Amino acid sequence: AQRVTQPEKLLSVFKGAPVELKCNYSYSGSPELFWYVQYSRQRLQLLLRHISRESIKGFTADLNKGETSFHLKKPFAQEEDSAMYYCALHTNAGKSTFGDGTTLTVKP
Amino acid sequence: ETGVTQSPTHLIKTRGQQVTLRCSSQSGHNTVSWYQQALGQGPQFIFQYYREEENGRGNFPPRFSGLQFPNYSSELNVNALELDDSALYLCASSLGGTGSDTQYFGPGTRLTVL
């Protein structure tokens, strides 16, 4: 069975501080991992995916297969980063698993 | 480019009734996934349709069923509604039926079962 765990439900940092949102997964196959974000009153949207190896809005995430983790990081948080963040695992078998999300609050 | 749309926005039903929710895919997308999101939880995967065939299914009972049409729009049907079915139902479309495809989400349908 596949599982995605986001251990922190709430995370609060000050503007300019580094931020790390944790994501751990379990899956026996080769995972396709994503971070989705939901800003206030907006729909869920892609932030980044591991296959692209790109940085979006200053966020990066590295897939660590040894630790089965895909933590999301940003060196300097901005107030506009305040949102709900979901880690997700999609498979070629057509199944998807989302974590329960982390609410990030960036204080001025 | 038209984004993913869902209808209706809100719906109130009573226990035991049946409901149909609708989703229009983003232009060019042939895959639709449906999710149930209860308050305070992440989206729970119900099933995925790829080119009109069910491509994957989560741990939901058979009273949750779906359809995908030739234009790749989709329906989610829920029979014999239970109080616990109250949730936000999300659909997401993607370009193909592979795990590496980004999913594009609709705004959701809020279902309340009384």
Side-chain angles (χ1 to χ4, degrees):
Chain A
Q2 57 197 72
R3 177 177 285 186
V4 174
T5 304
Q6 294 179 249
E8 305 130 333
K9 234 174 165 45
L10 301 170
L11 187 61
S12 182
V13 300
F14 284 102
K15 177 182 170 182
V19 64
E20 181 180 50
L21 289 84
K22 292 185 169 53
C23 172
N24 290 92
Y25 69 91
S26 64
Y27 179 56
S28 56
S30 186
E32 301 285 353
L33 286 155
F34 295 72
W35 277 98
Y36 289 88
V37 61
Q38 187 166 28
Y39 300 103
S40 179
R41 297 194 200 90
Q42 293 187 26
R43 63 183 69 186
L44 205 53
Q45 60 186 282
L46 174 72
L47 179 61
L48 57 80
R49 51 183 189 161
H50 93 269
I51 197 171
S52 300
R53 295 184 174 275
E54 54 193 350
S55 171
I56 305 293
K57 299 185 178 183
F59 285 97
T60 59
D62 289 319
L63 177 60
N64 185 324
K65 290 188 178 182
E67 295 182 359
T68 59
S69 68
F70 188 55
H71 302 329
L72 183 68
K73 299 177 185 179
K74 184 168 182 176
F76 307 104
Q78 303 299 314
E79 289 181 68
E80 56 265 30
D81 296 329
S82 295
M84 175 71 92
Y85 291 80
Y86 292 97
C87 182
L89 189 158
H90 299 321
T91 76
N92 285 335
K95 290 190 177 182
S96 294
T97 304
F98 279 69
D100 282 337
T102 297
T103 301
L104 173 66
T105 302
V106 180
K107 296 182 284 189
Chain B
E1 185 178 272
T2 307
V4 179
T5 60
Q6 292 186 243
S7 62
T9 307
H10 297 89
L11 204 49
I12 299 174
K13 291 284 188 178
T14 56
R15 200 169 47 179
Q17 284 189 310
Q18 178 265 342
V19 69
T20 297
L21 309 182
R22 293 179 175 83
C23 172
S24 288
S25 303
Q26 185 162 310
S27 178
H29 288 184
N30 56 22
T31 305
V32 172
S33 302
W34 282 94
Y35 297 87
Q36 180 194 68
Q37 187 173 23
L39 210 56
Q41 295 183 16
Q44 300 293 310
F45 175 71
I46 302 174
F47 43 57
Q48 182 184 83
Y49 277 82
Y50 171 61
R51 293 186 173 179
E52 302 178 60
E53 299 285 332
E54 189 178 284
N55 189 40
R57 190 177 179 93
N59 297 325
F60 280 80
R63 60 190 185 83
F64 285 79
S65 63
L67 275 176
Q68 188 179 29
F69 300 100
N71 66 355
Y72 302 131
S73 66
S74 177
E75 283 182 356
L76 164 66
N77 298 289
V78 187
N79 293 322
L81 284 166
E82 301 176 0
L83 297 180
D84 283 350
D85 295 334
S86 294
L88 181 68
Y89 287 84
L90 298 168
C91 83
S93 73
S94 51
L95 195 55
T98 70
S100 60
D101 297 315
T102 300
Q103 297 190 4
Y104 294 82
F105 284 83
T109 293
R110 173 73 61 187
L111 173 65
T112 302
V113 182
L114 303 175

